Amino acid sequence: MSDHQIHIIGGGLAGSEAAWQLAEQGVRVRLSEMRGAGDMTPAHQTDGLAELVCSNSFRSDDAERNAVGLLHQEMRDLGSIIMRCGDAHKVPAGSALAVDRDGFSDAVTQALAEHPNIEIVRERIDTLPDSGPTIVATGPLTALSLAESIGAATGADALAFFDAIAPIVHKDSIDMDICWMASRWDKGDGDDYINCPMDREQYLAFHQGLIDGEKTDFKDWEKDTPYFEGCMPIEVMAERGVDTLRYGPMKPVGLDNPHSATPEFPNGRWPYAVVQLRQDNALGTLWNMVGFQTKLKHGAQVELFRTIPGLEKAEFARLGGLHRNTFINSPKLLDSEMRLKRAPHIRFAGQITGCEGYVESSAVGLMVGRYAAAELRGETLPAPPPETALGALLGHITGGADARDYQPMNVNFGLFPPLAGRVHKKQRKEAMTSRARAAMAEWVGRIDRKAAA
């Protein structure tokens, strides 16, 4: 089949899902995958499509109380091949969906290979096509030659680097009786940051916790990739001296704590050290810990970061990390249908867009495939409602996040619009999923009615 209508580069989770969605709507697809043609990434072990290179878990399958479980169900509603094969090859994992990784990959590969509208070609693509509908779904281990071509097309200087990820906290879990909002020296709007104060004893204990905390190791293929001085892990800064953090991301100067106000100092005094959080999304529901990129293991992060005054009951939308990644600044570079603004014949899908996780990558591939199919028919596919998991995830990628410090993100309830009215915290997740299911049903119904007309 040489008369393809769309070219997909990359046969991972996103590329496979995009190919399936297009093929099911009658579009002829050329799916290029370099594995099997003599090339291999440092992390993959086989040439199977949709190979799971890390965990075999798709995380929670609870569609009533968990954002990723809700995303699972929305993808099932839209005929996802990834979810179909995942369900067929699941293994015991409690409330999570875990899969037999080889059986899963084999099933996806077979389904795509047998589809009459899909041609799988084992080939390496080194440059972005100059024309013709194209979906780039090459993931975080994009080959250097193609990464350079993407860099030239997007204006980025480099794409392969250590991705410094700071933890993100749900705002409603921060104790504002301890913390306060202010900018250093009251610059900007004066309340751009949430500040968590520390006294000397608290700071020294925290500093020691950073040094003693259990860290993750770099993978073999990450060890020779340098990270920038400005992205230094916080525990590495701590090792440089006991006061290094107090002159870096935890400096207290210019931050009067109103909770320590006295008649002599009516505006309060500077704490010994301060942890600052900066608004991370347009909704103001998520706040990231400034300068807290880290290689601490996730359990160690939760334990240590909850010793920070005001974060004792913190709920984390994402924990910190530092790993090699390849992704573009999607909020700046892509339009609402995931097209590259500079070259709209090219769409991006999967982790290269700045989403994290198997399911999130697949979900973006699903929507990109549907957007591309609609465009080939001369139609416009309405965006999924922002109240849905799909809509919230896509909204974050295409504009909900701040392009100035855009970082990869898993789907989580902090990306969803807040609920109207007062809802008890214990009922909040169920209320969000109920709202999402109703919005999803209405959206799918609208699409089906349009297709039938």
Side-chain angles (χ1 to χ4, degrees), residues 163-305:
D163 175 21
I165 300 174
I168 290 180
V169 179
H170 289 273
K171 185 183 180 183
D172 60 9
S173 69
I174 300 172
D175 187 347
M176 296 305 294
D177 289 334
I178 295 174
C179 305
W180 79 100
M181 299 187 72
S183 300
R184 200 178 309 279
W185 306 115
D186 292 324
K187 292 183 178 179
D189 291 332
D191 59 356
D192 294 337
Y193 294 85
I194 294 175
N195 300 282
C196 308
M198 282 186 176
D199 60 26
R200 184 176 186 276
E201 182 179 351
Q202 291 166 333
Y203 172 79
L204 293 177
F206 181 78
H207 178 269
Q208 192 62 47
L210 287 171
I211 293 174
D212 295 341
E214 192 175 4
K215 285 86 174 175
T216 58
D217 295 324
F218 286 122
K219 297 179 177 67
D220 288 340
W221 44 271
E222 290 182 316
K223 290 178 179 176
D224 295 327
T225 304
Y227 50 76
F228 302 111
E229 189 74 12
C231 295
M232 191 70 62
I234 191 168
E235 62 272 13
V236 174
M237 286 188 278
E239 291 169 354
R240 293 182 173 183
V242 69
D243 286 324
T244 300
L245 294 172
R246 293 184 62 242
Y247 289 91
M250 296 179 67
K251 63 184 177 183
V253 298
L255 291 167
D256 294 323
N257 181 0
H259 298 310
S260 65
T262 65
E264 184 180 3
F265 299 101
N267 295 326
R269 300 300 304 274
W270 298 351
Y272 189 78
V274 168
V275 175
Q276 289 195 304
L277 294 93
R278 178 175 54 223
Q279 185 171 327
D280 195 81
N281 66 341
L283 295 172
T285 54
L286 300 175
W287 290 66
N288 69 73
M289 299 174 68
V290 178
F292 267 60
Q293 54 272 2
T294 178
K295 288 290 282 184
L296 286 172
K297 289 190 174 181
H298 283 182
Q301 288 184 49
V302 173
E303 182 179 357
L304 182 60
F305 295 161

Side-chain angles (χ1 to χ4, degrees), residues 45-114:
Q45 302 296 317
T46 76
D47 62 2
L49 301 181
E51 180 186 340
L52 307 181
V53 299
C54 296
S55 167
N56 70 325
S57 176
F58 286 5
R59 312 196 318 279
S60 174
D61 202 34
D62 181 357
E64 301 300 322
R65 290 172 293 275
N66 188 281
V68 72
L70 176 63
L71 187 58
H72 288 180
Q73 189 56 50
E74 292 179 359
M75 292 173 65
R76 292 182 179 112
D77 292 343
L78 294 172
S80 165
I81 188 64
I82 295 301
M83 293 309 304
R84 190 181 84 179
C85 293
D87 289 337
H89 293 274
K90 64 183 178 181
V91 297
S95 62
L97 173 60
V99 305
D100 176 311
R101 66 176 72 236
D102 293 332
F104 167 77
S105 176
D106 290 347
V108 175
T109 303
Q110 181 178 354
L112 268 62
E114 293 177 351

Side-chain angles (χ1 to χ4, degrees), residues 376-415:
L376 287 168
R377 295 193 300 267
E379 301 173 358
T380 298
L381 178 70
E387 296 84 5
T388 65
L390 275 169
L393 181 63
L394 286 175
H396 174 78
I397 291 171
T398 59
D402 189 339
R404 292 173 298 178
D405 54 4
Y406 180 60
Q407 292 290 345
M409 175 72 75
N410 292 110
V411 68
N412 65 85
F413 285 122
L415 303 181

